[in-house]
Amino acid sequence: MRCALPGRFGERGLCGACHRNPPPFDRVVAPWAYQFPVSALISRFKYQIQRPDGKPLARLFAERLRDAGRTPPQALIPVPMAPSRERRRGFNQAEEIAIWMSRQLNIPVHRQSLTRANHTQTQSGLSRRERLANLKGAYRVRGPVPSHVALVDDVMTTGATVRAASRILREHGAATIEVWVLAQTPSVSSG
Ligand SMILES: [Zn+2]
């Protein structure tokens, strides 16, 4: 119910890790496991500047959400990249996904609500503990945050990023926080 990881059930639909240590978000929605062929599409989209490769995934994801008929969030908030990294890459893949989904679902994208400071280093290659330390103070919130939001990103690995972002959004008034990611690594630990 909470972390969306497969094969883990327990009390009130929560897995042991979410039960013991509730994450700062309410629910992860992740339609795919991060494995072939979805992983290949996502990494091409991210690293080879072939942005349209992400579009069919975002569209399918939006269709699935619409069919599920749940109360939609009031805003989509892309997980920001460090500004220097975004300049190098030329775009933020989370923002691209949010924009595509926004068009399908008629939910506004709040691109400036959540920003990331420049001093943080890239998360890849760091352990979960190192990632959390690296992200301390990494995010800033600007302006009022709606009470029901969806944080949008491409892939959820350790969950450190969305945890840090969810915490600060909650401090700024978000009461219900969904995490929408295209894919989740099957081995991710939510504990
Ligand atoms: Zn869980």
Side-chain angles (χ1 to χ4, degrees):
M1 290 293 285
R2 199 92 180 239
C3 62
L5 289 169
R8 297 187 181 184
F9 297 101
E11 245 176 280
R12 285 175 291 144
L14 297 179
C15 74
C18 290
H19 189 69
R20 279 190 304 276
N21 182 21
F25 44 76
D26 294 272
R27 175 191 304 125
V28 175
V29 188
W32 292 284
Y34 190 65
Q35 53 201 21
F36 188 82
V38 166
S39 55
L41 283 169
I42 291 174
S43 64
R44 208 157 61 166
F45 159 52
K46 250 164 106 161
Y47 298 114
Q48 297 175 21
I49 319 178
Q50 290 173 17
R51 290 194 277 175
D53 274 356
K55 202 170 181 174
L57 295 177
R59 183 172 298 159
L60 281 167
F61 188 9
E63 274 170 21
R64 185 177 294 200
L65 284 162
R66 208 169 30 213
D67 293 346
R70 284 206 302 252
T71 309
Q74 293 152 291
L76 305 182
I77 300 181
V79 172
M81 289 169 84
S84 56
R85 265 188 98 204
E86 184 170 344
R87 268 194 301 277
R88 272 200 304 278
R89 184 172 292 172
F91 68 102
N92 172 2
Q93 70 278 1
E95 197 172 294
E96 298 295 316
I97 294 165
I99 291 166
W100 289 324
M101 296 188 75
S102 154
R103 288 186 195 138
Q104 299 282 314
L105 298 168
N106 280 316
I107 302 170
V109 181
H110 287 202
R111 298 159 84 157
Q112 301 302 325
S113 286
L114 187 67
T115 57
R116 182 147 171 190
N118 230 342
H119 61 82
T120 49
Q121 59 178 113
T122 176
Q123 294 282 86
S124 46
L126 299 181
S127 73
R128 198 179 115 76
R129 189 177 293 268
E130 288 166 335
R131 285 178 182 222
L132 282 168
N134 185 39
L135 287 170
K136 216 160 185 207
Y139 296 104
R140 300 269 181 278
V141 168
R142 257 188 254 170
V145 175
S147 67
H148 183 184
V149 297
L151 261 173
V152 178
D153 209 352
D154 56 341
V155 180
M156 183 168 170
T157 50
T158 66
T161 307
V162 291
R163 276 165 188 265
S166 298
R167 260 184 217 111
I168 190 161
L169 288 171
R170 208 171 277 288
E171 282 166 17
H172 285 79
T176 304
I177 302 171
E178 301 188 32
V179 175
W180 292 3
V181 290
L182 294 179
Q184 205 174 21
T185 52
S187 60
V188 69
S189 160
S190 69

